[in-house]
Amino acid sequence: MPFPIHRYRRLRANQGILRLVRETHLTVDDLIDPLFVCEGKGVRQEIGSMPGVYRCSIDMLLKEVKESYTLGIPAVILFGIPANKDAQGSEAYNPEGIVQRAVREIKFAFPDMIVITDVCIDEYTDHGHCGLVEEGKILNDATLELLSRMAHTHAEAGADIVAPSDMMDGRVQAIRKALDTTGHENTIILSYAAKYASAFYGPFREAADSSPQFGDRRSYQMDPANSDESIREVLQDIEEGADIIMVKPALSYLDIIRRVRQEIQVPVAAYNVSGEYSMVKAAAANNWVDGERVMMEILLSIKRAGAQMILTYFAKEAAKVLNR
Ligand code: PBG
């Protein structure tokens, strides 16, 4: 037998053959564009640690959504920055709150854009935690009521998907019940099921002004050392009624994305989070890496790991490359 028997380079010889044997395809259909919405008019303020990402008032937000829509991106996810914060995060479930108004305006202007809302009170509480606080402790069950009200007001406003990101136990069940008993049985729940206590959220907290004012989130977000636990979290959220589950962050957790996809056959979303975005932007600004190629390689790797959809601040930039 002449050596080598297999010449793998045969299938790498040109673009045509590469296209035929390619295993993973990233498309615009995979992308979800995260957007920050704040009060005011004509506001479009760049986030210092996230070049190319803005906090927008609703009028300017509609322009962002229009761009995404025109690029063919199927969905946006909204994060609200309210004018006032308090201990209960009451703006989070105000039917006239910033996100509720933004959802109505987006669905009016772009009825077939899928609108996802983040359901979590940390952007709305003065202490910056994702749950109610009593004597320095984060309360689980008392928080469920607030999350349910928040999800309900989002659904009333027209959100297609609500996405609880708080990591309180039992919140998917509580939200499902609140939606089903108010005529919103068709509202989808995308649960941040395996959400780790990560330092990669740093730039987001600047963007949303949501850093915890004391302690950290390790009593409710997952320990980065754990993998089996992500399977238990995901299974429980599915049992409680989640339609899509999320792994977050994405890059240091590609193994988790892979496991969840392989062991539990449900739609998997991955969140390519703020710190993952900022690192690439910082390195590219220094000409240390080719930002565009690194971006595409990262998104492809998340898809290859098993994610069917990717929440990413690169959404519009990547869509432009994919549409070229
Ligand atoms: C919580 C929430 C956070 C992110 C999304 N939803 C922040 C946190 O848990 O502190 C982070 C997203 C990112 O870093 O891009 N509402």
Side-chain angles (χ1 to χ4, degrees):
M1 203 67 96
F3 180 82
I5 299 166
H6 289 290
R7 288 183 181 271
Y8 289 101
R9 294 181 55 196
R10 282 183 202 125
L11 301 188
R12 296 173 198 145
N14 55 53
Q15 271 306 320
I17 195 69
L18 282 170
R19 282 169 58 204
L20 284 172
V21 300
R22 187 160 287 145
E23 297 174 32
T24 308
H25 296 271
L26 180 72
T27 78
V28 177
D29 294 345
D30 305 323
L31 304 172
I32 299 172
D33 192 13
L35 300 172
F36 296 96
V37 58
C38 64
E39 294 290 351
K41 248 200 155 65
V43 182
R44 186 168 186 263
Q45 178 190 27
E46 192 164 26
I47 295 149
S49 52
M50 301 174 74
V53 181
Y54 302 84
R55 290 182 182 157
C56 293
S57 50
I58 293 176
D59 54 333
M60 302 304 277
L61 185 80
L62 289 170
K63 298 189 177 159
E64 294 274 320
V65 176
K66 182 171 187 189
E67 192 187 348
S68 287
Y69 186 77
T70 310
L71 286 165
I73 295 171
V76 295
I77 178 164
L78 300 182
F79 297 96
I81 303 153
N84 301 305
K85 305 190 184 216
D86 59 26
Q88 285 78 37
S90 40
E91 276 302 304
Y93 38 91
N94 176 354
E96 293 304 319
I98 183 70
V99 164
Q100 290 82 351
R101 277 178 284 137
V103 172
R104 282 201 288 268
E105 297 230 12
I106 294 172
K107 289 306 287 188
F108 182 74
F110 306 97
D112 47 357
M113 180 57 121
I114 298 295
V115 176
I116 309 173
T117 56
D118 186 79
V119 175
C120 184
I121 61 173
D122 66 325
E123 291 128 59
Y124 304 87
T125 52
D126 50 14
H127 46 72
H129 275 291
C130 304
L132 286 170
V133 174
E134 198 176 271
E135 291 170 7
K137 292 233 170 13
I138 317 302
L139 302 180
N140 193 90
D141 298 11
T143 303
L144 301 183
E145 161 68 19
L146 304 187
L147 295 168
S148 301
R149 281 163 69 178
M150 187 177 184
H152 171 250
T153 59
H154 290 173
E156 284 279 305
D160 301 280
I161 305 182
V162 293
S165 69
D166 53 286
M167 290 299 279
M168 296 300 123
D169 291 317
R171 89 275 204 203
V172 173
Q173 186 175 47
I175 290 170
R176 187 71 272 162
K177 190 171 158 215
L179 294 175
D180 288 356
T181 51
T182 52
H184 298 293
E185 62 279 344
N186 291 324
T187 304
I188 295 164
I189 298 181
L190 188 174
S191 87
Y192 289 65
K195 176 173 178 180
Y196 287 86
S198 172
F200 286 100
Y201 308 149
F204 175 96
R205 292 179 189 171
E206 180 205 328
D209 187 20
S210 63
S211 291
Q213 297 305 300
F214 68 90
D216 55 40
R217 303 210 202 289
R218 279 180 251 207
S219 79
Y220 42 104
Q221 299 181 348
M222 283 178 59
D223 180 350
N226 293 353
S227 172
D228 293 345
E229 188 185 354
S230 70
I231 302 298
R232 296 197 289 275
E233 280 278 7
V234 169
L235 284 174
Q236 171 149 337
D237 282 6
I238 301 288
E239 260 170 42
E240 290 184 21
D243 302 284
I244 306 171
I245 65 88
M246 192 196 299
V247 175
K248 177 184 174 193
L251 293 185
S252 295
Y253 301 87
L254 291 175
D255 58 320
I256 307 296
I257 296 173
R258 181 55 151 202
R259 270 196 78 175
V260 167
R261 183 62 196 284
Q262 232 159 28
E263 294 178 31
I264 310 161
Q265 280 73 41
V266 287
V268 176
Y271 202 142
N272 176 213
V273 301
S274 57
E276 298 172 337
Y277 175 84
S278 302
M279 289 195 303
V280 175
K281 287 292 174 193
N286 279 296
N287 279 319
W288 293 338
V289 297
D290 177 334
E292 183 178 305
R293 286 191 56 198
V294 168
M295 163 181 80
M296 297 310 281
E297 191 173 328
I298 283 176
L299 295 173
L300 187 70
S301 75
I302 298 170
K303 186 88 194 282
R304 193 187 63 235
Q308 276 123 318
M309 57 197 99
I310 309 171
L311 296 85
T312 178
Y313 303 96
F314 289 119
K316 290 198 265 301
E317 220 180 316
K320 284 178 198 156
V321 175
L322 292 166
N323 289 337
R324 200 137 78 205

